Amino acid sequence: MIDRPSIALPAMEYELLRGVIRDTFGIDYPPNKRELMRVRLEERLRTLGVRRFSDYYRLLRYAPPGQPEWQQLADCITNNETYFFREHQQFVQLAEIARRTAVQRGAPLRVLSAGCSSGEEAYSMAATLESGSLPSGYEVSGVDLNAARLAEAKTGRYGERSFRRDETPPPNVDLERWLAREANGSRLVRPALRARVRFQRANLVDEQQVAGLGAFDVVFCRNVLIYGHELSVPRFLRGLEQLVKPSGYLFVGQAESLLGHRSVFRPERVGGGFAYLRGP
Ligand SMILES: C[S@@+](CC[C@H](N)C(=O)[O-])C[C@H]1O[C@@H](n2cnc3c(N)ncnc32)[C@H](O)[C@@H]1O
């Protein structure tokens, strides 16, 4: 293999790129993550035959809006770690909300995994709801910025990294029923569950894109805000206010909080934990 010299990311170009990434996607690259960004984007520059980050910045900035390079950028710079039943207590809470509201509901329960990455969260939601008896049914959607991860989500094939021994489904949810074991050890979501989940690309800080998604009874937006820039959190929250129906619920990750941000959400106890209830 030929040893190629690495492409340097000078401080000024880092500032410019972190600015456009924050403004376009709401994602924060703090001052100490310059090397991480360099590594994540270097291969992309090589593929394009671009030799300097200043040229890459120019290419992004002065190309027509909506050009595919912005999608490539999103695919390179997002952090997509996820696994089935992550922070599993929240799925017990989801089951409790479904049970509580089943009787009064004349329409399917609409739930959203906002920032779904490769889909483990959305399938965990669907497997949870399958095991409750919801007379009017349910719909699960997953949205994310990263097109490559969304393609994996649609395929529904998962290796070991998508499972954690200590993150288990709620007691009455039999995940084995929904995942076929393949010869090489990977697991494939069975068609019946795959058919219950829809994935699409959306940028949660883009008002127009958010408006096109409709409104949901329950939204999981977990481990997304933690990568958001402080100044972008209100933009994410505006989107989430549109996405959650009045009296619907928002779940954020256990390391995240809406404390200190003005919003229509207030914490409420549900199913042994708390979630954010949207006011009217
Ligand atoms: C760390 S993953 C979390 C996945 C899952 N929610 C979980 O908790 O396991 C964060 C996801 O948020 C997505 N994301 C970040 N900013 C976004 C934005 N502005 N719009 C849509 N998705 C975004 C990333 O692409 C990434 O897949």
Side-chain angles (χ1 to χ4, degrees):
M1 209 167 95
I2 309 162
D3 236 3
R4 294 176 300 185
S6 59
I7 305 177
L9 173 53
M12 197 174 86
E13 280 74 9
Y14 180 55
E15 286 308 311
L16 292 170
L17 282 168
R18 60 188 283 250
V20 293
I21 288 169
R22 182 193 59 227
D23 294 349
T24 313
F25 306 125
I27 294 172
D28 188 24
Y29 269 79
N32 62 349
K33 296 286 184 206
R34 175 152 45 129
E35 179 57 12
L36 177 67
M37 185 193 288
R38 194 194 71 71
V39 169
R40 284 182 168 174
L41 284 175
E42 185 173 43
E43 205 44 49
R44 184 66 201 147
L45 267 69
R46 289 196 202 285
T47 304
L48 289 168
V50 170
R51 304 230 306 261
R52 285 186 298 260
F53 273 94
S54 53
D55 294 335
Y56 183 63
Y57 173 75
R58 231 169 276 129
L59 180 154
L60 279 172
R61 224 42 199 146
Y62 302 110
Q67 59 120 352
E69 192 51 39
W70 287 97
Q71 180 58 64
Q72 296 290 343
L73 176 67
D75 284 12
C76 292
I77 53 96
T78 47
N79 182 318
N80 309 113
E81 187 186 353
T82 187
Y83 36 89
F84 279 88
F85 292 101
R86 182 178 196 175
E87 299 172 11
H88 61 271
Q89 174 59 27
Q90 294 185 328
F91 294 89
V92 175
Q93 293 178 262
L94 171 66
E96 169 65 17
I97 292 170
R99 194 189 59 75
R100 267 199 213 168
T101 56
V103 189
Q104 72 229 39
R105 178 174 303 284
L109 183 79
R110 296 195 77 219
V111 306
L112 173 70
S113 166
C116 64
S117 186
S118 35
E120 290 89 331
E121 182 175 88
Y123 288 125
S124 300
M125 293 169 113
T128 301
L129 295 173
E130 273 297 316
S131 60
S133 48
L134 286 170
S136 310
Y138 70 90
E139 295 168 7
V140 179
S141 301
V143 299
D144 202 279
L145 261 188
N146 190 309
R149 294 288 92 80
L150 284 169
E152 292 171 14
K154 285 177 190 164
T155 306
R157 177 169 286 111
Y158 298 102
E160 256 176 51
R161 276 189 328 172
S162 296
F163 303 91
R164 295 282 190 284
R165 214 179 292 278
D166 51 346
E167 296 285 29
T168 50
N172 60 335
V173 176
D174 182 9
L175 192 59
E176 292 303 309
R177 189 178 149 207
W178 300 112
L179 297 178
R181 213 174 270 281
E182 297 189 306
N184 64 358
S186 60
R187 313 293 305 268
L188 185 64
V189 178
R190 290 190 194 279
L193 197 70
R194 251 192 350 251
R196 305 305 304 262
V197 186
R198 280 187 36 199
F199 292 103
Q200 77 182 87
R201 188 183 176 274
N203 180 354
L204 294 167
V205 296
D206 182 315
E207 281 177 34
Q208 247 180 327
Q209 291 184 27
V210 166
L213 297 173
F216 297 83
D217 300 291
V218 181
V219 174
F220 276 30
C221 184
R222 308 182 313 152
N223 307 297
V224 177
L225 298 179
I226 202 165
Y227 298 106
H229 191 275
E230 200 185 302
L231 300 174
S232 309
V233 172
R235 293 170 66 201
F236 278 106
L237 278 178
R238 271 199 298 281
L240 291 167
E241 287 182 355
Q242 290 202 18
L243 288 170
V244 181
K245 290 181 187 174
S247 305
Y249 289 92
L250 168 68
F251 287 83
V252 298
Q254 278 161 6
E256 298 166 319
S257 162
L258 304 190
L259 210 73
H261 294 283
R262 281 166 67 96
S263 78
V264 294
F265 297 108
R266 62 177 163 80
E268 195 191 75
R269 285 206 74 77
V270 45
F274 85 89
Y276 288 101
L277 179 69
R278 191 200 194 287

Short mmCIF file of all heavy atoms in Angstrom, two decimals, residues 250-271:
data_model
loop_
_atom_site.label_atom_id
_atom_site.label_comp_id
_atom_site.label_asym_id
_atom_site.label_seq_id
_atom_site.Cartn_x
_atom_site.Cartn_y
_atom_site.Cartn_z
N LEU A 250 -42.34 13.67 24.21
CA LEU A 250 -40.99 13.72 23.64
C LEU A 250 -40.03 13.03 24.60
O LEU A 250 -40.06 13.29 25.81
CB LEU A 250 -40.56 15.19 23.47
CG LEU A 250 -39.08 15.42 23.16
CD1 LEU A 250 -38.73 14.90 21.76
CD2 LEU A 250 -38.73 16.92 23.24
N PHE A 251 -39.19 12.16 24.05
CA PHE A 251 -38.13 11.53 24.84
C PHE A 251 -36.78 12.01 24.31
O PHE A 251 -36.55 11.97 23.10
CB PHE A 251 -38.17 10.00 24.70
CG PHE A 251 -39.31 9.36 25.42
CD1 PHE A 251 -40.57 9.30 24.85
CD2 PHE A 251 -39.12 8.80 26.68
CE1 PHE A 251 -41.63 8.71 25.52
CE2 PHE A 251 -40.18 8.21 27.36
CZ PHE A 251 -41.44 8.16 26.79
N VAL A 252 -35.93 12.47 25.20
CA VAL A 252 -34.55 12.78 24.82
C VAL A 252 -33.64 11.75 25.49
O VAL A 252 -34.10 10.95 26.31
CB VAL A 252 -34.16 14.23 25.19
CG1 VAL A 252 -35.04 15.24 24.45
CG2 VAL A 252 -34.21 14.47 26.70
N GLY A 253 -32.37 11.75 25.15
CA GLY A 253 -31.45 10.78 25.74
C GLY A 253 -31.22 11.07 27.22
O GLY A 253 -31.47 12.19 27.69
N GLN A 254 -30.74 10.05 27.94
CA GLN A 254 -30.57 10.24 29.38
C GLN A 254 -29.49 11.27 29.71
O GLN A 254 -29.49 11.85 30.78
CB GLN A 254 -30.29 8.89 30.05
CG GLN A 254 -31.61 8.17 30.28
CD GLN A 254 -31.48 6.68 30.50
OE1 GLN A 254 -30.36 6.15 30.60
NE2 GLN A 254 -32.60 5.99 30.54
N ALA A 255 -28.58 11.53 28.77
CA ALA A 255 -27.54 12.54 29.02
C ALA A 255 -27.99 13.92 28.56
O ALA A 255 -27.22 14.88 28.61
CB ALA A 255 -26.27 12.13 28.27
N GLU A 256 -29.24 14.02 28.08
CA GLU A 256 -29.72 15.29 27.53
C GLU A 256 -30.85 15.86 28.39
O GLU A 256 -31.52 15.11 29.10
CB GLU A 256 -30.24 15.07 26.09
CG GLU A 256 -29.16 14.57 25.17
CD GLU A 256 -29.70 14.02 23.85
OE1 GLU A 256 -30.73 13.32 23.87
OE2 GLU A 256 -29.09 14.28 22.82
N SER A 257 -31.05 17.17 28.29
CA SER A 257 -32.11 17.79 29.07
C SER A 257 -32.56 19.07 28.37
O SER A 257 -31.79 19.71 27.66
CB SER A 257 -31.54 18.14 30.45
OG SER A 257 -32.37 19.07 31.08
N LEU A 258 -33.83 19.41 28.59
CA LEU A 258 -34.34 20.66 28.02
C LEU A 258 -34.27 21.79 29.05
O LEU A 258 -34.71 22.91 28.78
CB LEU A 258 -35.79 20.49 27.55
CG LEU A 258 -36.07 19.37 26.55
CD1 LEU A 258 -37.49 19.49 26.01
CD2 LEU A 258 -35.07 19.41 25.39
N LEU A 259 -33.72 21.45 30.20
CA LEU A 259 -33.58 22.44 31.28
C LEU A 259 -32.84 23.67 30.77
O LEU A 259 -31.81 23.54 30.11
CB LEU A 259 -32.78 21.79 32.42
CG LEU A 259 -33.11 22.28 33.81
CD1 LEU A 259 -34.48 21.72 34.24
CD2 LEU A 259 -32.03 21.81 34.78
N GLY A 260 -33.39 24.84 31.06
CA GLY A 260 -32.71 26.07 30.65
C GLY A 260 -33.11 26.52 29.25
O GLY A 260 -32.64 27.55 28.77
N HIS A 261 -33.96 25.72 28.56
CA HIS A 261 -34.43 26.14 27.23
C HIS A 261 -35.94 26.39 27.31
O HIS A 261 -36.67 25.58 27.88
CB HIS A 261 -34.15 25.05 26.19
CG HIS A 261 -32.71 24.82 25.95
ND1 HIS A 261 -31.92 25.68 25.20
CD2 HIS A 261 -31.88 23.86 26.40
CE1 HIS A 261 -30.68 25.24 25.19
NE2 HIS A 261 -30.62 24.13 25.90
N ARG A 262 -36.37 27.48 26.71
CA ARG A 262 -37.82 27.76 26.70
C ARG A 262 -38.48 26.86 25.67
O ARG A 262 -38.02 26.78 24.52
CB ARG A 262 -38.05 29.21 26.28
CG ARG A 262 -37.81 30.21 27.39
CD ARG A 262 -37.73 31.58 26.80
NE ARG A 262 -39.03 31.97 26.23
CZ ARG A 262 -39.91 32.71 26.89
NH1 ARG A 262 -39.63 33.14 28.09
NH2 ARG A 262 -41.05 33.03 26.35
N SER A 263 -39.53 26.16 26.08
CA SER A 263 -40.25 25.32 25.12
C SER A 263 -41.63 25.01 25.68
O SER A 263 -41.94 25.34 26.83
CB SER A 263 -39.50 24.02 24.85
OG SER A 263 -39.70 23.10 25.90
N VAL A 264 -42.44 24.34 24.87
CA VAL A 264 -43.79 23.98 25.33
C VAL A 264 -43.79 22.63 26.04
O VAL A 264 -44.84 22.09 26.37
CB VAL A 264 -44.78 23.91 24.14
CG1 VAL A 264 -44.98 25.27 23.52
CG2 VAL A 264 -44.32 22.90 23.10
N PHE A 265 -42.60 22.06 26.27
CA PHE A 265 -42.52 20.74 26.91
C PHE A 265 -42.30 20.88 28.41
O PHE A 265 -41.53 21.73 28.85
CB PHE A 265 -41.36 19.95 26.32
CG PHE A 265 -41.51 19.67 24.84
CD1 PHE A 265 -40.72 20.34 23.90
CD2 PHE A 265 -42.45 18.74 24.40
CE1 PHE A 265 -40.87 20.09 22.55
CE2 PHE A 265 -42.59 18.50 23.03
CZ PHE A 265 -41.81 19.17 22.11
N ARG A 266 -42.97 20.00 29.16
CA ARG A 266 -42.68 19.97 30.60
C ARG A 266 -42.53 18.50 31.03
O ARG A 266 -43.24 17.62 30.52
CB ARG A 266 -43.73 20.70 31.41
CG ARG A 266 -45.10 20.10 31.32
CD ARG A 266 -46.08 20.84 32.23
NE ARG A 266 -47.45 20.55 31.85
CZ ARG A 266 -48.11 19.45 32.20
NH1 ARG A 266 -47.51 18.53 32.91
NH2 ARG A 266 -49.36 19.26 31.83
N PRO A 267 -41.59 18.27 31.97
CA PRO A 267 -41.36 16.88 32.37
C PRO A 267 -42.56 16.29 33.10
O PRO A 267 -43.19 16.99 33.89
CB PRO A 267 -40.14 16.98 33.30
CG PRO A 267 -39.93 18.42 33.57
CD PRO A 267 -40.75 19.23 32.66
N GLU A 268 -42.84 15.04 32.79
CA GLU A 268 -43.95 14.35 33.48
C GLU A 268 -43.55 12.91 33.74
O GLU A 268 -42.90 12.29 32.90
CB GLU A 268 -45.20 14.37 32.61
CG GLU A 268 -46.41 14.02 33.45
CD GLU A 268 -47.65 13.76 32.62
OE1 GLU A 268 -47.75 12.69 31.99
OE2 GLU A 268 -48.51 14.64 32.63
N ARG A 269 -43.98 12.39 34.88
CA ARG A 269 -43.66 10.99 35.20
C ARG A 269 -44.54 10.07 34.37
O ARG A 269 -45.73 10.28 34.25
CB ARG A 269 -43.88 10.72 36.69
CG ARG A 269 -42.80 11.33 37.56
CD ARG A 269 -42.64 10.58 38.88
NE ARG A 269 -41.99 9.28 38.73
CZ ARG A 269 -40.69 9.10 38.56
NH1 ARG A 269 -39.88 10.14 38.49
NH2 ARG A 269 -40.17 7.90 38.44
N VAL A 270 -43.90 9.09 33.77
CA VAL A 270 -44.66 8.08 33.03
C VAL A 270 -43.89 6.76 33.05
O VAL A 270 -42.68 6.75 32.80
CB VAL A 270 -45.00 8.56 31.58
CG1 VAL A 270 -43.82 9.20 30.90
CG2 VAL A 270 -45.52 7.44 30.70
N GLY A 271 -44.60 5.70 33.44
CA GLY A 271 -44.03 4.34 33.41
C GLY A 271 -42.68 4.21 34.09
O GLY A 271 -41.76 3.64 33.51
#
